Every structure is written in C-alpha cells, then in structure tokens.
C-alpha cells in the first residue's frame, strides 16, 4: 500500500472554487484509476486543501490545478510502518 498526500494552498479569494474543483473533478478522476483504493479530502483555516489517497501501487498524479485557483501543488508518498 502506498499513501499519497497531495497538498495545495488557495489564493485568498479562490478557496471555495478550489475546494469545489478538488471534490468534483480531481478526486473523482483519481478514483477512476486502476490501483486506487480510497481518498479523503481535508481543508484548513489557512486556505489549504489536502487529499490523502491510498493505492495498491503506482499512485497517479493528481490533475493540474486550474490556473488562478492556487499555488503549485505538492505531493509526497508514504508507506505504512509496522510497529
């Protein structure tokens, strides 16, 4: 299992549009991918949106954020740790 954390920060006036795009376009597109297991969307008071997605293998990059909605997105991959 691979967990990808994808994070993007909206411009001050575009947070609602960014969140709508993530929920209605970006995440549904990820969910159609073959190795996708699940996704969760989180938001913060400092205009950030984070998507945590789980993959069997080979996570897919999130779609490119439309110009004018946010700064460049960042992503990181993680694997579970046995404790």
């Amino acid at each position: 299992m691979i967990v990808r954390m994808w994070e993007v920060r909206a411009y001050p006036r575009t947070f609602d549009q960014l969140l709508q795009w993530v929920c209605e376009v970006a995440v549904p597109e990820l969910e159609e991918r073959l190795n996708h297991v699940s996704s969760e969307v989180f938001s913060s008071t400092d205009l950030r949106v984070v998507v945590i997605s789980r993959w069997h293998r080979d996570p897919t990059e999130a779609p490119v954020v439309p110009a004018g909605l946010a700064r460049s997105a960042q992503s990181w991959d993680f694997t579970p740790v046995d404790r």
Side-chain angles (χ1 to χ4, degrees), residues 23 26-34 36-40 55:
C23 292
V27 171
E29 187 174 311
L30 292 175
E31 292 173 336
E32 293 177 0
R33 303 300 176 158
L34 179 64
H36 182 264
V37 176
S38 66
S39 290
E40 297 175 276
W55 301 83

Side-chain angles (χ1 to χ4, degrees), residues 1-68:
M1 171 96 40
I2 297 172
V3 175
R4 174 161 287 175
M5 183 180 90
W6 179 86
E7 181 263 343
V8 65
R9 186 170 185 187
Y11 293 121
R13 293 186 175 158
T14 62
F15 179 78
D16 291 337
Q17 295 95 332
L18 175 65
L19 185 58
Q20 180 179 2
W21 177 82
V22 167
C23 292
E24 295 179 3
V25 176
V27 171
E29 187 174 311
L30 292 175
E31 292 173 336
E32 293 177 0
R33 303 300 176 158
L34 179 64
N35 294 316
H36 182 264
V37 176
S38 66
S39 290
E40 297 175 276
V41 179
F42 301 88
S43 66
S44 69
T45 57
D46 66 347
L47 306 177
R48 294 178 196 272
V49 177
V50 171
V51 176
I52 305 293
S53 58
R54 289 166 184 79
W55 301 83
H56 290 298
R57 64 180 181 283
D58 304 324
T60 299
E61 293 294 329
V64 175
V65 177

